[in-house]
Amino acid sequence: MNPATPERFDLRCPRCRDADTSARVRLGPQGLVCAGCGASFPMVEGAAVLVRDPDALIEAQPADPDLTQYLLADFAREPPLAWPAASPVGPCPTSWLVPHLTPGSRVVDLGCGVGGAAFRLASAGHDVLGLDLRCGRIQAALQLRSHGHQALGDGSRVVALKPRGHLDFLVGDALDPPLAGEAFDAVVVQNLYDSVVDPVLLLNQCGALLRPGGLLLLATPYQPGPVALGPEPDLALRQLLGTGACGATFTCVTEGETTWGLPDGKRRLVLYRCDVLVGRKLTTV
Ligand SMILES: C[S@@+](CC[C@H](N)C(=O)[O-])C[C@H]1O[C@@H](n2cnc3c(N)ncnc32)[C@H](O)[C@@H]1O
């Protein structure tokens, strides 16, 4: 972790905080330490783990057979072998957000995976913190930040964009973010809303993290099929955000659709239609 990160992003202790108070954490030799309760949070191969119960999270880390496909999806300069020459994958959802950000914005990317969106935003000059529950993905993002590239087992290579702003990553829970309230100019939720156990709580946390006037980017893949999220999940999402039902009221800045692709092995590309919404926080309810 960059020593400036705890202060730059106002990292807070997830262990001792309640609704009204949260103590800052600082970086010690072994990891992050709470300035209030003294709780310590370890580093796992360079990745700071800032969750309520780090030992339980580390022990429960699932195997991650998808790591390579996420690296390819986010950072492959050349499309992997079997992708069609004219790739059906659409623009990264961050391209809906970037034109609305003021220079040097402070952004948090919740469920950042291996960090593709975070690198894009940092390469545009913004200060970005990426947060994900999987240690291996955060370690991969940190490796890319340090070296700029990574060789994959199959001989292919991924290359990261060069950050111009401050860029860091940590292991943390988007549903219980170790961050101060109203501290961010933008919150990115890309391909996460549909995979958390409590999407409404996630929206509540987004509203709490944003300063008034801050921007929320929600990009959500919808899969066809009877057990998917329903015929018009995007409508329900817009209602939640527009009515203040998630603790803050948002107005729509821009919206659209893109195609997100995840390579599955070398010869298959799984495509998702992805609903993109940028909302501006008006009020805290
Ligand atoms: C579908 S992936 C999307 C990754 C990345 N945002 C992207 O667009 O490629 C969802 C990510 O969210 C992470 N995740 C799931 N629940 C989370 C939570 N409660 N807090 C933080 N990350 C979470 C997963 O580990 C995974 O990396």
Side-chain angles (χ1 to χ4, degrees), residues 2-77:
N2 183 321
T5 292
E7 199 178 326
R8 172 91 54 146
F9 293 112
D10 206 352
L11 303 186
R12 299 298 176 113
C13 176
R15 181 87 55 85
C16 67
R17 74 156 175 220
D18 56 29
D20 300 318
T21 61
S22 61
R24 292 206 153 89
V25 293
R26 58 181 166 72
L27 191 58
Q30 309 296 330
L32 293 164
V33 181
C34 174
C37 69
S40 60
F41 302 91
M43 311 284 280
V44 179
E45 292 175 37
V49 182
L50 193 53
V51 297
R52 259 174 220 274
D53 188 346
D55 293 341
L57 183 87
I58 292 164
E59 206 179 307
Q61 283 291 301
D64 193 357
D66 303 333
L67 182 63
T68 299
Q69 67 183 116
Y70 274 95
L71 284 166
L72 287 170
D74 281 15
F75 299 107
R77 283 281 165 88

Side-chain angles (χ1 to χ4, degrees), residues 24-251:
R24 292 206 153 89
V25 293
R26 58 181 166 72
L27 191 58
Q30 309 296 330
L32 293 164
V33 181
C34 174
C37 69
S40 60
F41 302 91
M43 311 284 280
V44 179
E45 292 175 37
V49 182
L50 193 53
V51 297
R52 259 174 220 274
D53 188 346
D55 293 341
L57 183 87
I58 292 164
E59 206 179 307
Q61 283 291 301
D64 193 357
D66 303 333
L67 182 63
T68 299
Q69 67 183 116
Y70 274 95
L71 284 166
L72 287 170
D74 281 15
F75 299 107
R77 283 281 165 88
E78 301 294 328
L81 289 182
W83 289 27
S87 172
V89 175
C92 177
T94 53
S95 55
W96 273 262
L97 175 66
V98 168
H100 304 283
L101 290 175
T102 50
S105 285
R106 195 149 72 145
V107 184
V108 61
D109 181 359
L110 300 177
C112 63
V114 293
F119 273 91
R120 264 170 206 279
L121 290 160
S123 75
H126 304 294
D127 291 340
V128 189
L129 178 69
L131 186 146
D132 200 283
L133 269 182
R134 287 188 184 248
C135 297
R137 293 188 186 178
I138 292 300
Q139 286 155 0
L142 288 167
Q143 288 284 328
L144 279 165
R145 194 200 57 181
S146 299
H147 305 299
H149 57 86
Q150 189 185 328
L152 303 181
D154 62 358
S156 55
R157 188 166 174 266
V158 289
V159 182
L161 294 168
K162 201 170 167 42
R164 287 197 295 124
H166 188 102
L167 174 65
D168 216 334
F169 296 92
L170 59 79
V171 179
D173 189 349
L175 298 179
D176 186 15
L179 302 165
E182 303 203 337
F184 289 89
D185 301 303
V187 173
V188 171
V189 176
Q190 186 179 290
N191 306 326
L192 173 71
Y193 176 72
D194 59 324
S195 61
V196 290
V197 291
D198 190 341
V200 172
L201 175 57
L202 176 66
L203 296 182
N204 265 283
Q205 296 292 15
C206 294
L209 290 171
L210 281 170
R211 65 164 175 79
L215 296 168
L216 172 61
L217 168 65
L218 268 161
T220 306
Y222 295 126
Q223 301 175 32
V227 294
L229 296 171
E232 287 189 83
D234 44 331
L235 191 62
L237 173 60
R238 281 155 177 74
Q239 277 167 355
L240 279 171
L241 291 170
T243 57
C246 294
T249 309
F250 290 81
T251 184

